[in-house]
Amino acid sequence: MDILVLAGGTGSRLWPRSRRTKPKQFLPLLSNRTMLQETVDRVRPLIEEGRVFVVTGSDYEELIREQLSDIPRNNVILEPSGRGTASAIGLAAIHMRRSAPDAVMAVLSADHLILRNEAFRQALQAAEVAAREGYLVTLGVKPSFANTGYGYIQCGELITEAHNHKIHRVQRFAEKPDQDTAERYLAKGNYFWNAGIFVWQTKTFLDAIGRHMPELRNQLNQVQASFGKSRYHDTLAHVWENVENITVDYGIMERAPNVAVVPVDIGWSDVGDWHTLTTLMSDDDSANVVIGPHVEVDTKSTLIYSDSGRMIATIGLDGFLVVDTGDALLIAPRDRAQDVKKIVDQLRTEG
Ligand code: GDD
Ligand code: MG
């Protein structure tokens, strides 16, 4: 099985620790390896020689070569700019097909935590079985609350069983629903969170692009026609200017009829925002997670994260996030963790 790691996101909801110059996937957030390195370490037993690929923006090329020094040079696929995961995976797929036309690719995010690695590898192998039958397969996680930052998958009939996992048809795929809808899905009980881990044949995926995003398919054809020629980079840069900025979830998964899900129990978390990250770190008797110098009075369920060396003092806080990196300070209620993205958007537009 080929591995493709998506590593081009900016990790904006973990601002100010995650920055555009060094987003979260390049940081050692929960261990002494970076999230990117852990992503690859986790699947090493499944990898065939030379078959790990990474797709990312040109700005991150150096970080990737530093952190994954053993992957072949040509396996780092560079997008001229971030245009969302649909085009990133499409670009990677046309590259990967050159050397292995019938390959199945597993698309992993460089910023996930998975606790049960062996179960995860089995789930990927189960997904591969359905992928060989022409399905676009995704891993589904049992939801624990109405998180609006995820995709939701309505589970349909059983297709088959393999490698200790069931594989179901997907009845509906709904990316990032609003709060009410997410709550409705949760109450229904036959919905999973989309883990954002996909398995399919490169051919199946490119066919799906042809059907649901025909313009992107044409753009990728133009890039493909320049393979091995000196005009490759110019062609790619030119084509990319007009590529639609959309994620694979909206562009393909919500539209395609041949989607399957493998429900998994692998200790998965998307380390997507400060609230989630806080739940993954060890807390003290008052349920505070403290990193850095801190003094408190009556503070509960609060994250105090300081890598500035500055002393953080809090009084009477319950359920807050306080993140200090020296050049920026974030203070927010934990249940507004998704909105950190809005701050980053604002900073970006204000330059
Ligand atoms: N190369 C590249 N180019 N990578 C990208 C780009 C891009 O333009 N945009 C995002 N990525 C990478 C990110 O680094 C991350 O590893 C992965 O693609 C997913 O992007 P996120 O931005 O983290 O997506 P999300 O968390 O909002 O939503 C996705 O993941 C959820 C689970 O974590 C969706 O697939 C949801 O449906 C899913 O529930
Ligand atoms: Mg994410």
Side-chain angles (χ1 to χ4, degrees):
M1 188 185 319
D2 287 0
I3 302 292
L4 174 65
V5 182
L6 296 172
T10 51
S12 56
R13 285 168 299 163
L14 284 182
W15 182 90
R17 183 72 175 85
S18 176
R19 292 296 175 83
R20 208 170 346 163
T21 47
K22 198 169 194 181
K24 62 176 169 181
Q25 60 270 29
F26 305 115
L27 302 170
L29 283 178
L30 291 159
S31 75
N32 56 5
R33 302 272 288 162
T34 69
M35 302 215 66
L36 173 69
Q37 290 170 325
E38 292 209 318
T39 303
V40 174
D41 290 348
R42 202 174 277 137
V43 290
R44 281 199 194 275
L46 296 180
I47 298 171
E48 287 153 37
E49 181 66 28
R51 301 302 295 177
V52 177
F53 296 78
V54 182
V55 62
T56 191
S58 315
D59 291 352
Y60 305 136
E61 179 178 8
E62 220 165 292
L63 279 167
I64 288 176
R65 296 206 191 283
E66 251 167 49
Q67 297 192 2
L68 299 178
S69 50
D70 59 340
I71 79 167
R73 233 193 133 67
N74 287 337
N75 290 18
V76 180
I77 298 158
L78 299 173
E79 308 151 79
S81 61
R83 282 276 190 275
T85 50
S87 55
I89 302 169
L91 178 65
I94 58 173
H95 277 278
M96 292 164 76
R97 279 212 89 191
R98 292 177 80 185
S99 43
D102 299 321
V104 167
M105 66 200 275
V107 183
L108 313 179
S109 281
D111 54 354
H112 290 164
L113 174 74
I114 291 168
L115 298 175
R116 285 188 280 287
N117 290 337
E118 184 50 41
F120 171 55
R121 291 189 289 265
Q122 269 193 9
L124 288 180
Q125 287 172 300
E128 184 177 7
V129 171
R132 295 245 173 248
E133 288 176 27
Y135 286 98
L136 298 164
V137 190
T138 178
L139 304 192
V141 171
K142 197 172 158 18
S144 49
F145 71 109
N147 187 323
T148 55
Y150 293 156
Y152 285 73
I153 298 163
Q154 189 180 22
C155 189
E157 83 222 29
L158 183 72
I159 299 171
T160 185
E161 289 187 41
H163 298 275
N164 285 326
H165 285 81
K166 294 190 158 63
I167 305 162
H168 291 261
R169 261 192 175 276
V170 168
Q171 244 160 293
R172 181 204 310 213
F173 187 107
E175 179 65 6
K176 297 188 178 31
D178 60 30
Q179 191 70 37
D180 288 351
T181 313
E183 274 164 24
R184 206 155 34 80
Y185 290 162
L186 209 68
K188 281 200 168 169
N190 63 339
Y191 278 83
F192 290 99
W193 281 338
N194 172 37
I197 297 168
F198 305 106
V199 181
W200 44 55
Q201 283 179 288
T202 44
K203 179 182 176 336
T204 311
F205 183 69
L206 291 169
D207 286 350
I209 292 187
R211 206 156 146 199
H212 308 292
M213 301 184 67
E215 203 181 333
L216 176 60
R217 190 68 189 95
N218 286 336
Q219 288 159 327
L220 292 174
N221 283 343
Q222 290 172 47
V223 175
Q224 218 168 338
S226 72
F227 277 168
K229 308 210 163 90
S230 58
R231 64 183 164 87
Y232 170 76
H233 289 285
D234 288 344
T235 306
L236 179 63
H238 178 70
V239 164
W240 223 247
E241 278 170 26
N242 297 312
V243 161
E244 185 184 3
N245 191 344
I246 182 170
T247 72
V248 69
D249 317 283
Y250 289 112
I252 302 293
M253 303 308 281
E254 280 197 344
R255 298 171 184 171
N258 53 327
V259 179
V261 61
V262 179
V264 293
D265 180 11
I266 54 176
W268 172 94
S269 321
D270 158 317
V271 188
D273 58 71
W274 283 112
H275 170 73
T276 311
L277 186 59
T278 305
T279 60
L280 300 171
M281 305 202 286
S282 40
D283 55 1
D284 64 18
D285 292 344
S286 310
N288 294 319
V289 171
V290 179
I291 292 178
H294 174 228
V295 56
E296 56 94 6
V297 174
D298 296 335
T299 296
K300 288 189 290 199
S301 304
T302 290
L303 170 73
I304 314 288
Y305 186 111
S306 166
D307 59 12
S308 65
R310 228 173 357 199
M311 163 71 68
I312 310 262
T314 59
I315 304 171
L317 292 190
D318 186 355
F320 270 76
L321 303 166
V322 181
V323 181
D324 181 23
T325 55
D327 60 345
L329 170 63
L330 169 75
I331 303 172
R334 275 177 75 160
D335 61 6
R336 301 291 300 275
Q338 298 292 335
D339 290 342
V340 174
K341 191 180 193 328
K342 294 184 187 163
I343 298 280
V344 175
D345 290 343
Q346 212 166 309
L347 288 171
R348 210 168 280 162
T349 48
E350 286 166 10

